[in-house]
Amino acid sequence: MRLSSCLLLVSLLSAATAHAQVFQRELGDFDLKLGTTPSRSMAQGLVKPAAVGSFHGGLDLSHDSGVYFGQYAPSMGITPGKNLEIDSYVGFKQPFDQTLGYEVGMIHYSYPRVDTLDSQEVFGGLTLLGSRFGVALSNDPDKQNNTLFADLGGNQPFGIGVSMKYTTHQLNTPAAVDGGYISSFTDWSVKLSRPFMGVDLDLIYSNSSLSGSDCSAYSGHNSQCDGLVTLKAAHAFY
């Protein structure tokens, strides 16, 4: 497949800590988080990626019992050509012991300013020694998606975080392409992350099973059908 590369420089809004862009405060038995990155562990790996250059952020409220809910906007719809998107989620997270835990939940994707159907996603996974492994099932208006993801946050060689995501897409209506029809495809991504001098650096490789003229049928979560290498740099203003 063709391999493209680009350099994207992204400046995030603000943060209480440079590595997470999250402001945290306790409210009785609840823990409130506000930030420019998704705060919830499983939801953080599943919310659709923000459009480059758009304003984004959200909040997360969790209870000591393990119940949590929140909202995250990957795009605030402020910049031209970008639509407002609100991802609302609810779930439950509990540890079995200090090394193993589980999490289940649901995400609702909505687009208040666009005449399109909302979509839902259910997810579940395990946390093992600081790393996360999960699966998610979602129903977009035009296709069904099954996602496997892993975040090896607990095993970072040289301080480098590694996360991976693999998704299969089943189209509700086969897409016509040169030479026939496409009813399903896959896409995947691998991300390497490391903080450096107050800047969060992400190196991301993404690709799909489609290439050439077949890319007209692509509508996955990655930024484009063909192979893409992206470097993101995020810096907290305060």
Side-chain angles (χ1 to χ4, degrees), residues 35-217:
T36 55
T37 57
S39 303
R40 181 55 47 189
S41 58
M42 293 298 174
Q44 184 176 5
L46 291 172
V47 293
K48 297 176 182 177
V52 173
S54 65
F55 292 93
H56 46 276
L59 61 87
D60 179 276
L61 191 63
S62 59
H63 189 264
D64 292 342
S65 64
V67 176
Y68 64 81
F69 57 91
Q71 284 189 327
Y72 181 75
S75 174
M76 299 298 292
I78 297 177
T79 55
K82 308 302 179 185
N83 296 315
L84 172 64
E85 176 184 339
I86 300 178
D87 301 342
S88 305
Y89 56 85
V90 60
F92 181 78
K93 181 178 181 180
Q94 269 301 347
F96 291 115
D97 52 38
Q98 293 184 351
T99 60
L100 179 64
Y102 71 95
E103 183 174 352
V104 293
M106 182 179 68
I107 304 176
H108 179 83
Y109 302 100
S110 61
Y111 309 87
R113 299 177 183 173
V114 181
D115 186 17
T116 184
L117 296 175
D118 296 348
S119 59
Q120 294 77 35
E121 186 165 35
V122 293
F123 61 87
L126 296 175
T127 301
L128 176 63
L129 296 174
S131 296
R132 298 182 290 114
F133 306 91
V135 61
L137 308 175
S138 65
N139 63 325
D140 286 345
D142 58 344
K143 60 183 179 297
Q144 309 296 314
N145 311 300
N146 301 318
T147 300
L148 298 174
F149 62 96
D151 184 347
L152 308 181
N155 303 282
Q156 298 184 6
F158 310 106
I160 299 176
V162 182
S163 61
M164 297 164 283
K165 184 159 58 175
Y166 180 89
T167 304
T168 61
H169 307 273
Q170 184 70 40
L171 301 178
N172 295 339
T173 302
V177 297
D178 292 343
Y181 292 86
I182 291 178
S183 59
S184 65
F185 62 91
T186 62
D187 63 5
W188 58 89
S189 63
V190 178
K191 181 172 72 172
L192 305 179
S193 305
R194 191 182 191 282
F196 178 73
M197 299 181 64
V199 177
D200 294 338
L201 298 177
D202 292 335
L203 179 63
I204 307 168
Y205 173 73
S206 61
N207 212 327
S208 80
S209 60
L210 302 178
S211 62
S213 60
D214 290 351
C215 280
S216 61

Side-chain angles (χ1 to χ4, degrees), residues 16 22-26 31-34:
V22 173
F23 169 79
Q24 185 171 346
R25 183 177 296 274
E26 292 186 1
D31 183 24
L32 173 66
K33 294 180 181 178
L34 303 172

